[in-house]
């Protein structure tokens, strides 16, 4: 009876019930079906409104940063806020610097650019003081700011094909935005070098994609930028051990593309400088992966014409490998001989210098494996008409270790070298080369005079045989010419003219 009376009383609207149930008793599932549908619709509308608010806020503060972070006015100074708020102010300033400025017009220096530069200076000073705490929101904000400001696509190169990459005589091109880029790089370097940075937290944001984009920046034409990148990548390699195999593989891919496809890259020297330090830290015995890097990446780097830009760093890497495992010297020297230049004298000088450094490090056993092809090539260099190449080849005998190797294997090396020395003494145009040749001959005579006389006698026999062979060829050609001259008139008189053959054509 009471229920019937109550049912006749006016009730609240269903919309109000649904809002109350959604706001106060969201866990109550005993409502009727119509109320359930209305709660769902209103819940969806509230969710959509919240998502709009979330998207707007993420334009300034990313979602990962917003969690538990109180927004602070970024224009405030770190001195004007309390210590608990400094971390939030740090993140606010990082997000303020995500605005990219246009520096293409030097006369268009706006107040926004000055504000950004001043903010970057404050951030660098704050991190340098050691007051920053790189928790996950701060790491995310730092990586986002660096990505927005640094990661960009460079314009295509319009240099000629002959000057592959950045040749030695090319003037470097400087980025007009370097004043701001330098501060961002300085901040990134201090970030990855921060002593209290937790690599496990940071690796979520300094990930493979971040490293690949960082490696792409080595294409920059500005040498100052590449120098900063070199230091930063080396610190990342040392800090994040989990990324080391990926970094090695990514750099290998850059070298493969440079050697076998484009022969154009501005940062090969800097990448090799990083790897020189990395290779020196390889454990012994070397892993197969590291040996493959030597054979597939470093040795083919001797092929491009622009080797002069990075040869010093390349030589250091190769020497580090040979120092770790002398058995690798055989592969290295064979690679040098494979890519040995024929018409490029400056490149040939580099190869001789690198060959000397490698020979200086190897023992007698490894030397005996490759001494024959090596000294055949050196013999050609001794006879080079380019006096610098010939001089550099002669100066190998001034190296005590190499001279000791030659002395112990003189019965093999003397016969290979002596003909070149003899040709130099008779035909070479440069007086300095002639003097060096005479010095080496005296050195050989003091080592083993009998062997030197034997080589001289053998050379005289070979020369006489060559003269006899040349005389025989000359006589043979004369007989052929005489026979041809006598046969030609007779052939002209006796052979009837040939009539063209007629063939029946079947229709």
């Amino acid at each position: 009876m009471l229920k019937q009376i109550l049912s006749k009383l006016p009730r609240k609207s269903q919309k109000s019930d649904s809002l109350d149930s959604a706001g106060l008793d969201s866990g109550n599932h005993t409502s009727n079906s119509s109320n359930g549908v209305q709660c769902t619709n209103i819940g969806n509308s509230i969710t959509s409104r919240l998502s709009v608010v979330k998207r707007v806020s993420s334009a300034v503060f990313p979602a990962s940063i917003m969690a538990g972070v109180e927004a602070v006015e970024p224009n405030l100074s770190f001195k004007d806020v309390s210590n608990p708020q400094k971390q939030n102010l740090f993140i606010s300033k990082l997000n303020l610097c995500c605005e990219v400025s246009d520096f293409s017009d030097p006369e268009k220096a706006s107040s926004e650019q000055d504000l950004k530069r001043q903010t970057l200076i404050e951030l660098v000073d704050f991190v340098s003081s050691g007051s920053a705490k790189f928790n996950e929101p701060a790491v995310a904000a730092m990586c986002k700011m660096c990505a927005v400001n640094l990661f960009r696509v460079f314009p295509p190169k319009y240099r000629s094909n002959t000057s592959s990459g950045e040749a030695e005589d090319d003037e470097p091109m400087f980025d007009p935005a370097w004043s701001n880029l330098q501060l961002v790089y300085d901040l990134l370097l201090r970030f990855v070098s921060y002593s209290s940075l937790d690599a496990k937290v940071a690796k979520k944001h300094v990930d493979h994609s971040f490293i690949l984009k960082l490696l792409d920046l080595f294409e920059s034409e500005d040498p100052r930028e590449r120098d900063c990148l070199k230091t930063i990548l080396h610190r990342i390699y040392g800090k994040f051990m989990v990324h080391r195999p990926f970094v090695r593989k990514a750099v290998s891919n850059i070298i493969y593309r440079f050697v076998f496809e484009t022969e154009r890259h501005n940062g090969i020297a800097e990448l090799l400088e990083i790897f020189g330090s990395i290779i020196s830290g390889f454990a012994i015995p070397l892993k197969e992966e590291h040996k493959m890097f030597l054979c597939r990446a470093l040795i083919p780097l001797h092929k491009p014409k622009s080797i002069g830009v990075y040869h010093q760093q390349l030589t250091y890497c190769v020497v580090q490998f040979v120092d770790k495992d002398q058995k690798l010297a055989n592969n290295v020297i064979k690679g040098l001989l494979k890519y040995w230049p024929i018409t490029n004298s400056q490149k040939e000088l580099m190869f001789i210098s690198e060959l000397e450094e490698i020979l200086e490090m190897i023992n007698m056993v490894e030397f005996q494996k490759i001494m024959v092809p090596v000294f055949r090539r050196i013999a050609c260099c001794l006879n080079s008409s380019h006096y610098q190449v010939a001089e550099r080849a002669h100066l190998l005998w001034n190296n005590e270790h190499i001279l000791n190797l030659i002395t112990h294997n003189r019965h093999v090396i003397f016969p290979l070298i002596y003909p070149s020395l003899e040709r130099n003494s008779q035909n070479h145009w440069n007086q300095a080369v002639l003097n060096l040749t005479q010095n080496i001959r005296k050195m050989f005579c003091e080592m083993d005079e009998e062997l030197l006389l034997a080589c001289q006698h053998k050379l005289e026999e070979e020369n006489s045989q060559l003269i006899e062979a040349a005389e025989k060829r000359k006589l043979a050609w004369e007989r052929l010419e005489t026979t041809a001259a006598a046969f030609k008139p007779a052939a002209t008189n006796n052979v009837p003219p040939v009539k063209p053959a007629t063939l029946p054509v079947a229709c």
Side-chain angles (χ1 to χ4, degrees):
M1 187 67 180
L2 183 60
K3 288 183 179 179
Q4 293 176 355
I5 294 172
L6 291 174
S7 63
K8 295 179 181 180
L9 294 175
R11 299 180 63 187
K12 291 182 180 179
S13 66
Q14 293 179 347
K15 186 175 182 180
S16 301
D17 286 342
S18 61
L19 283 171
D20 291 341
S21 62
L24 302 175
D25 193 16
S26 59
N28 184 8
H29 300 284
T30 60
S31 60
N32 56 31
S33 60
S34 61
N35 285 344
V37 171
Q38 289 169 351
C39 287
T40 303
N41 294 334
I42 293 171
N44 289 338
S45 65
I46 294 172
T47 304
S48 63
R49 291 174 184 174
L50 290 175
S51 65
V52 171
V53 175
K54 185 176 181 182
R55 285 196 299 272
V56 172
S57 64
S58 65
V60 181
F61 300 101
S64 58
I65 302 174
M66 286 297 294
V69 176
E70 180 185 353
V72 180
E73 173 59 39
N75 293 327
L76 294 175
S77 173
F78 284 105
K79 298 177 182 178
D80 298 336
V81 297
S82 60
N83 288 332
Q85 287 185 319
K86 285 184 177 180
Q87 191 65 20
N88 295 339
L89 179 60
F90 176 62
I91 295 175
S92 297
K93 286 181 178 293
L94 285 172
N95 285 279
L96 177 65
C97 293
C98 288
E99 185 70 26
V100 179
S101 303
D102 182 15
F103 290 87
S104 57
D105 187 0
E107 298 179 358
K108 192 179 177 182
S110 63
S111 59
E112 295 179 357
Q113 294 176 3
D114 296 336
L115 175 62
K116 179 178 178 180
R117 178 175 174 78
Q118 186 60 37
T119 305
L120 286 170
I121 293 173
E122 291 179 10
L123 289 170
V124 171
D125 293 339
F126 182 69
V127 175
S128 302
S129 67
S131 303
K133 296 178 181 178
F134 284 105
N135 50 19
E136 187 161 359
V139 170
M142 174 66 73
C143 292
K144 178 190 175 185
M145 189 276 294
C146 293
V148 169
N149 285 277
L150 299 179
F151 298 159
R152 59 206 189 278
V153 179
F154 296 108
K157 303 183 185 68
Y158 294 102
R159 292 175 176 171
S160 61
N161 293 329
T162 55
S163 59
S164 305
E166 183 182 314
E168 292 175 296
D169 54 349
D170 283 335
E171 293 184 2
M173 297 177 64
F174 298 106
D175 197 315
W178 177 246
S179 57
N180 272 21
L181 289 175
Q182 184 180 16
L183 292 171
V184 178
Y185 276 119
D186 192 11
L187 191 57
L188 179 57
L189 176 60
R190 294 177 188 278
F191 163 63
V192 297
S193 306
Y194 209 68
S195 57
S196 61
L197 177 65
D198 188 355
K200 293 181 180 179
V201 175
K203 73 178 182 181
K204 298 177 184 178
H205 303 279
V206 184
D207 54 4
H208 290 179
S209 175
F210 187 90
I211 292 172
L212 282 177
K213 291 177 180 177
L214 205 64
L215 286 170
D216 289 340
L217 295 177
F218 278 92
E219 273 281 18
S220 172
E221 302 241 358
D222 195 329
R224 302 169 298 180
E225 182 169 10
R226 298 199 303 270
D227 193 60
C228 289
L229 286 165
K230 174 186 66 178
T231 307
I232 290 169
L233 184 62
H234 190 262
R235 297 292 174 86
I236 289 175
Y237 187 90
K239 191 85 172 181
F240 301 92
M241 295 184 65
V242 67
H243 291 330
R244 289 183 180 182
F246 178 79
V247 172
R248 293 195 296 266
K249 183 178 180 181
V251 174
S252 298
N253 290 336
I254 291 174
I255 294 175
Y256 296 153
R257 194 177 305 114
F258 169 71
V259 173
F260 300 110
E261 294 181 11
T262 63
E263 289 197 9
R264 287 176 174 272
H265 199 284
N266 293 319
I268 296 297
E270 288 79 9
L271 292 173
L272 288 175
E273 192 169 343
I274 297 170
F275 259 81
S277 177
I278 293 172
I279 293 166
S280 63
F282 283 165
I284 300 174
L286 292 172
K287 295 180 181 178
E288 193 63 27
E289 172 202 348
H290 304 328
K291 295 179 182 179
M292 295 303 292
F293 176 75
L294 170 67
C295 296
R296 294 184 177 179
L298 294 185
I299 294 178
L301 273 173
H302 292 85
K303 177 185 175 183
K305 297 177 182 178
S306 58
I307 185 175
V309 178
Y310 57 82
H311 182 259
Q312 183 179 356
Q313 294 84 354
L314 176 61
T315 301
Y316 181 78
C317 291
V318 170
V319 168
Q320 289 295 314
F321 268 110
V322 176
D323 186 36
K324 296 283 183 182
D325 186 356
Q326 291 195 4
K327 293 180 180 179
L328 295 173
N330 193 6
N331 294 331
V332 172
I333 292 176
K334 285 181 179 178
L336 278 176
L337 298 177
K338 176 182 178 182
Y339 297 113
W340 198 278
I342 304 300
T343 59
N344 190 335
S345 57
Q346 295 302 318
K347 190 174 179 181
E348 198 166 6
L349 288 171
M350 298 177 200
F351 275 48
I352 296 173
S353 299
E354 184 175 354
L355 181 63
E356 181 179 6
E357 288 196 43
I358 297 170
L359 292 176
E360 194 173 2
M361 300 182 65
I362 63 177
N363 55 31
M364 188 69 65
V365 176
E366 297 301 324
F367 175 77
Q368 289 174 348
K369 294 178 182 178
I370 44 85
M371 62 182 177
V372 173
V374 165
F375 279 89
R376 280 178 181 162
R377 174 52 60 187
I378 291 175
C380 295
C381 295
L382 292 172
N383 285 142
S384 174
S385 57
H386 194 286
Y387 77 98
Q388 290 180 334
V389 175
E391 276 185 350
R392 189 65 188 85
H394 282 82
L395 292 177
L396 291 175
W397 272 260
N398 292 347
N399 190 301
E400 293 184 4
H401 181 72
I402 296 177
L403 183 60
N404 183 52
L405 295 173
I406 293 173
T407 304
H408 284 83
N409 298 277
R410 58 184 180 273
H411 294 282
V412 178
I413 295 174
F414 276 19
L416 298 173
I417 295 298
Y418 185 81
S420 297
L421 297 176
E422 190 66 24
R423 281 193 291 271
N424 268 1
S425 60
Q426 295 176 3
N427 301 321
H428 207 283
W429 63 273
N430 187 271
Q431 188 60 44
V433 174
L434 290 173
N435 295 336
L436 290 171
T437 299
Q438 294 301 323
N439 292 338
I440 293 178
R441 289 190 63 172
K442 289 178 183 178
M443 199 181 299
F444 280 177
C445 187
E446 293 173 1
M447 283 184 197
D448 194 333
E449 187 175 359
E450 292 182 3
L451 180 59
L452 185 66
L453 292 173
C455 292
Q456 184 176 358
H457 180 67
K458 182 179 178 182
L459 180 62
E460 291 173 354
E461 289 182 352
E462 290 177 355
N463 288 337
S464 62
Q465 290 175 1
L466 290 174
I467 292 172
E468 291 178 4
E471 288 294 331
K472 289 180 180 179
R473 281 198 303 273
K474 184 179 180 181
L475 292 173
W477 278 108
E478 288 177 355
R479 286 197 300 270
L480 285 172
E481 289 173 358
T482 303
T483 305
F487 180 73
K488 189 174 182 180
T492 305
N493 295 332
N494 296 333
V495 178
V498 179
K499 294 181 179 180
T502 58
L503 298 175
V505 179
C507 296

